[in-house]
Amino acid sequence: MTRPKHFVLAAGGTGGHMVPAAALAEELTKRGHRVALVSDARGVRFPGLFPNGENAVQTHVIPAGRFSGGPLGWLKAARQMRQGRAMAAELYRAFKPAAVIGFGGYPAYPALSAAFAAGIRTAVHEQNAVLGRVNRLVAGRVDAIATSYPDTERLKPRHAAKAHMVGNPVRESVLALRAKPYPLLEEESIFRVLVTGGSQGASILSKVVPEGLSMLPVAFRRRLQVTHQARIEDIDAAREKYASLDIAADLATYLPDLPEQLGWSHLVIARAGASTISELTAAGRPAILVPLPSATDDHQTANARAITAAGGARTIPQDRFTPSELAKQMQKLGLDPEALQNAAGRARACGSPNAASDLADLVESLDAPAAPQMVGLARPKEAFA
């Protein structure tokens, strides 16, 4: 058994960063290690990811400015980064971590910078199919780079030797869905649709989805049961729209029981964020994906390519995501239960069920005397060439 160690996880406050950090924290604490989380105010308050208890994760808020807003904004961000680095260094002196793991997002940078200065081993995990800004910035200095896709865009060739494809960890409650069959779907049975824009919601889904579902044949529309996660500014209008169209729908700004909702869904309509894709492929649920066009480096479109190419999802660019296009795609999928179940299997085949364990193996190996070497299913990126 590996001797207990201390690890620090540093992540931005969005679900895309926090969910894999929480999954790794859960795996590391199961192995007897102690874990501390460094994030911004949003991250440490993220609901449902870091429960209290005997093995609770320590949480620490550090300042981390965004380099925007011109010269004054840059100066403010630099000042906050220095403050964050000093606070992280103080944490390391007390907590004595074996390694610091960054998950992207601005709070990860001062935490990693302090680790470099202290000589602490480091790694980053990239959830998307495109290496993010902070991870690109530190890629040359970290000891290992964990990726979620065999081919990660904007990863420089000189850094490929320390890249390891582990996948994107998901919560155990989502992973448990992998062992359950796709919900029974017959021609006259209820057709359950889950609509989610990720942790920050998506206004385009609230505007288009109700209208699109209203264009379905009456017999199909009457079978629908919709669960829709909407932004707070959109939820009332979306609720009224569903009601006016006589479509059964439950709406909420946050879904604390998302794994349960995902489990009974026949089809998911969603953005193509990293956590959404990893949860769809872990559970094996077919989807209609609408990538966020303003995502940095268009990484959501890149995220959607593998599951779409495999036949587990259909991707509609936002500029073509109209009610009529959605209705057309829904009919193609929803009126053929066998094809929908086949798509579910293809989505499942894209999953990385051992991602949390493989990432934990890599993290544990950072404290070994030799350079980190992966064992088992987590392989260097070159193995996929």
Side-chain angles (χ1 to χ4, degrees):
M1 179 178 175
T2 305
R3 63 181 176 84
K5 302 173 186 177
H6 293 182
F7 294 100
V8 171
L9 312 184
T14 67
H17 301 306
M18 297 302 297
V19 169
L24 176 61
E26 187 175 20
E27 179 66 23
L28 290 173
T29 53
K30 281 199 313 184
R31 298 184 184 195
H33 303 302
R34 290 186 62 198
V35 177
L37 170 73
V38 170
S39 188
D40 55 25
R42 297 175 304 163
V44 299
R45 293 197 304 265
F46 209 96
L49 292 184
F50 294 93
N52 297 322
E54 183 179 353
N55 296 318
V57 172
Q58 296 183 23
T59 57
H60 303 267
V61 175
I62 64 172
R66 298 176 66 91
F67 287 94
S68 59
L72 289 178
W74 302 337
L75 285 173
K76 181 180 178 181
R79 189 182 311 117
Q80 290 177 325
M81 288 289 184
R82 286 196 297 269
Q83 292 173 348
R85 173 173 163 165
M87 292 173 66
E90 184 177 351
L91 168 64
Y92 301 161
R93 285 192 288 271
F95 193 63
K96 295 180 171 52
V100 176
I101 317 302
F103 286 83
Y106 285 98
Y109 183 75
L112 289 166
S113 180
F116 299 149
I120 300 170
R121 302 300 293 275
T122 57
V124 292
H125 178 269
E126 179 55 60
Q127 302 86 51
N128 293 298
V130 182
L131 201 66
R133 288 176 180 172
V134 170
N135 285 349
R136 291 200 301 269
L137 191 61
V138 301
R141 300 189 66 184
V142 296
D143 297 293
I145 301 169
T147 68
S148 300
Y149 293 84
D151 296 305
T152 301
E153 297 176 22
R154 304 205 66 171
L155 176 66
K156 293 181 179 179
R158 67 175 180 269
H159 299 149
K162 55 183 173 183
H164 302 269
M165 212 299 284
V166 301
N168 192 21
V170 299
R171 292 166 285 182
E172 286 195 355
S173 54
V174 173
L175 194 59
L177 299 175
R178 198 170 179 84
K180 299 179 179 180
Y182 180 75
L184 180 65
L185 181 63
E186 298 176 335
E187 289 187 5
E188 301 301 321
S189 63
I190 293 175
F191 189 96
R192 298 184 176 93
V193 180
L194 174 62
V195 183
T196 174
S199 63
Q200 299 182 72
S203 293
I204 187 69
L205 299 184
S206 296
K207 293 174 182 176
V208 172
V209 173
E211 286 282 2
L213 298 186
S214 75
M215 294 180 177
L216 295 172
V218 174
F220 187 11
R221 190 168 70 241
R222 288 175 176 169
R223 295 169 52 204
L224 295 176
Q225 173 62 57
V226 180
T227 297
H228 188 136
Q229 179 245 331
R231 298 173 68 97
I232 191 168
E233 61 266 33
D234 301 324
I235 192 167
D236 289 339
R239 183 179 286 117
E240 290 176 7
K241 190 65 178 179
Y242 280 119
S244 70
L245 297 169
D246 200 26
I247 296 175
D250 295 319
L251 289 91
T253 57
Y254 177 70
L255 299 175
D257 59 344
L258 181 62
E260 181 180 349
Q261 301 284 354
L262 185 62
W264 59 245
S265 297
H266 295 109
L267 179 69
V268 179
I269 303 172
R271 287 295 197 194
S275 289
T276 297
I277 299 296
S278 59
E279 290 175 348
L280 289 171
T281 57
R285 291 297 180 270
I288 293 174
L289 300 173
V290 187
L292 175 66
S294 62
T296 306
D297 300 313
D298 197 21
H299 66 253
Q300 289 204 4
T301 297
N303 291 347
R305 283 181 190 138
I307 185 174
T308 302
R314 293 170 185 251
T315 296
I316 306 175
Q318 182 164 307
D319 61 0
R320 298 209 301 270
F321 185 61
T322 62
S324 59
E325 179 63 22
L326 174 62
K328 181 174 72 174
Q329 297 298 335
M330 282 283 295
Q331 283 188 263
K332 288 180 180 178
L333 288 167
L335 297 179
D336 187 347
E338 185 176 347
L340 199 62
Q341 186 158 1
N342 183 51
R346 291 174 180 271
R348 187 180 185 278
C350 294
S352 299
N354 299 317
S357 177
D358 289 344
L359 181 56
D361 288 346
L362 174 59
V363 167
E364 286 181 332
S365 76
L366 291 170
D367 196 39
Q373 296 293 324
M374 294 304 294
V375 178
L377 293 179
R379 294 157 285 179
K381 184 175 182 294
E382 306 88 69
F384 293 85

